[in-house]
Structure formats: structure tokens, C-alpha cells
Amino acid sequence: NAGVTQTPKFQVLKTGQSMTLQCAQDMNHEYMSWYRQDPGMGLRLIHYSVGAGITDQGEVPNGYNVSRSTTEDFPLRLLSAAPSQTSVYFCASSRTGTGNQPQHFGDGTRLSIL
Amino acid sequence: AQSVTQLDSQVPVFEEAPVELRCNYSSSVSVYLFWYVQYPNQGLQLLLKYLSGSTLVKGINGFEAEFNKSQTSFHLRKPSVHISDTAEYFCAVSDRDDKIIFGKGTRLHILP
């Protein structure tokens, strides 16, 4: 099973550039989410989706955009990259959005903004 | 709203010694509790979860955790650690309708 697949694994951008981080899951999960992980900060929720066509903001949504056109895919877009967005980004999915579901994580995308 | 506090950012422990990683949470309603492990350069993996029932929960790799409602704690324990347990450990809390909230993590260092 592939589980949750994130691409690319590494990326370097210049300030002001835009890019899309890809996330795909093959478990038919309804719930998908994006986190960023920074040293000493744990994981912070950026955006999430409870199903195709439905997205909502998390704790730190500014500067990011998402869409959910299919159950499988949940891309994260950086509109105009800033150095403060240098981080490790994780995509996660779960069967439903209810709180008792464990999250399945991808291996992350390490993003550096120069 | 819930919150999670992991009291130690780093825990050094000798190989084959016992370890306890502490986690306290705050919530006004019934909660679900999780521990996740993150090995270097990987995503998080579920270690164990408490949803209801027995307060002692056993997980993978010999870890267990005890839910203590009166102390609002969910500490993670292992009786004898191995070098392969070197990782970062995250406690997380959610309730029935809310998003999952992660603690800031505890790095476990195994000393030879």
C-alpha cells in the first residue's frame, strides 16, 4: 500500500515564487489535512478537508491555498513564497473527520525559501 | 478548546533503562488521546491511542500509556528502551467534532 504520498520531497524556492505541494492518498479517506512542522513548535494545522469539494482553514492558513477536487488528492499552494514559510510540510489523512480517527502521514516535503 | 503540553522537550535515557514521556492535556469534554512517533526524515506513525474503555493502552514496539482523567495526563512508558527507539514523540488530543491538536514533541535520546 502506498498510503499517503507527497511530492516533491525537497524544494528550494526564491522569495515571491509560487509552487504546489502534491499530496495523494489511496485509502479512500474522507479527511485530509496539511501541517507544517517547525523546530520546537510541533505540528500546526494549515488547512483541512472533510471531503471532496470541502475545505477549511486551520491554525496557520495565511499564504496558503488548497482545493479538493477528488477524494484522493489535496494539493497545497504557496501563492508567493516568503522565508517564513521555510518548513517541513506534512500531509495527513484519516477515514473520517471525527476525532477518534488516527492520522496517516506522508513522509513530508522539506521546503526552503531563499 | 483543547491543548496539549509535553513537559520535556528532550529526554536522555540509557539503553535498556525504563522511560516515561509526559503529556498533559486540557479539555472541557471527553477526549481521544494519541501518541505518535517520528523517526528521522520520516512522517509521523501512530504508536497507540485511547478512545474509551481500559485506561491502560498498549501500543507497538513495547510502548504503553495510561489515561488518567483526574490528572488530565496520558504519559507514555516503556520498561526497557533500545537504540532503535531514538525518535521524536508527539502526544495529540481531539474530541468528537474538533480537530486534532499536537504537542510540541519530546526527543528521546538513547545513550549507549
Side-chain angles (χ1 to χ4, degrees):
Chain A
N1 268 347
V4 178
T5 303
Q6 291 185 238
T7 56
K9 293 189 185 305
F10 303 93
Q11 185 71 47
V12 178
L13 291 178
K14 294 181 179 178
T15 297
Q17 287 185 313
S18 62
M19 82 159 293
T20 299
L21 279 61
Q22 301 292 343
C23 175
Q25 52 91 9
D26 62 358
M27 297 172 283
N28 201 32
H29 284 172
E30 292 181 3
Y31 184 87
M32 295 184 75
S33 55
W34 277 102
Y35 293 87
R36 60 177 289 173
Q37 183 180 27
D38 302 293
M41 301 291 290
L43 276 78
R44 292 183 291 170
L45 182 64
I46 304 171
H47 285 285
Y48 65 98
S49 169
V50 298
I54 305 169
T55 64
D56 207 345
Q57 295 181 352
E59 180 186 358
V60 288
N62 292 341
Y64 307 95
N65 213 346
V66 292
S67 60
R68 184 97 179 268
S69 56
T70 67
T71 299
E72 295 79 18
D73 300 299
F74 191 45
L76 177 73
R77 297 182 188 83
L78 277 69
L79 309 172
S80 177
S84 61
Q85 294 177 305
T86 293
S87 188
V88 182
Y89 291 85
F90 288 99
C91 180
S93 73
S94 61
R95 193 170 61 84
T96 67
T98 53
N100 61 352
Q101 296 295 312
Q103 302 294 306
H104 298 256
F105 285 84
D107 284 338
T109 294
R110 285 147 184 83
L111 184 62
S112 292
I113 315 296
L114 304 178
Chain B
Q2 316 99 292
S3 66
V4 180
T5 302
Q6 291 185 244
L7 297 162
D8 304 299
S9 60
Q10 299 191 60
V11 173
V13 62
F14 287 104
E15 196 168 13
E16 298 184 8
V19 69
E20 178 180 86
L21 305 183
R22 297 180 293 169
C23 173
N24 287 87
Y25 68 92
S26 66
S27 176
S28 58
V29 297
S30 298
V31 295
Y32 306 117
L33 294 156
F34 306 84
W35 275 99
Y36 288 84
V37 59
Q38 184 181 31
Y39 299 106
N41 298 315
Q42 294 186 24
L44 279 69
Q45 303 172 33
L46 181 68
L47 206 51
L48 49 80
K49 61 185 178 185
Y50 171 79
L51 303 181
S52 65
S54 172
T55 58
L56 183 62
V57 180
K58 293 189 183 299
I60 62 171
N61 300 339
F63 283 93
E64 63 181 33
E66 185 155 19
F67 170 58
N68 188 319
K69 188 174 182 179
S70 62
Q71 297 187 7
T72 60
S73 67
F74 191 56
H75 300 333
L76 181 70
R77 302 185 183 99
K78 186 169 183 178
S80 175
V81 297
H82 303 284
I83 196 73
S84 59
D85 293 322
T86 298
E88 190 159 18
Y89 293 79
F90 291 91
C91 183
V93 63
S94 65
D95 64 25
R96 194 167 73 102
D97 299 315
D98 211 339
K99 298 173 284 295
I100 188 167
I101 302 296
F102 288 87
K104 293 188 182 338
T106 298
R107 289 191 180 275
L108 180 60
H109 299 280
I110 310 300
L111 307 172

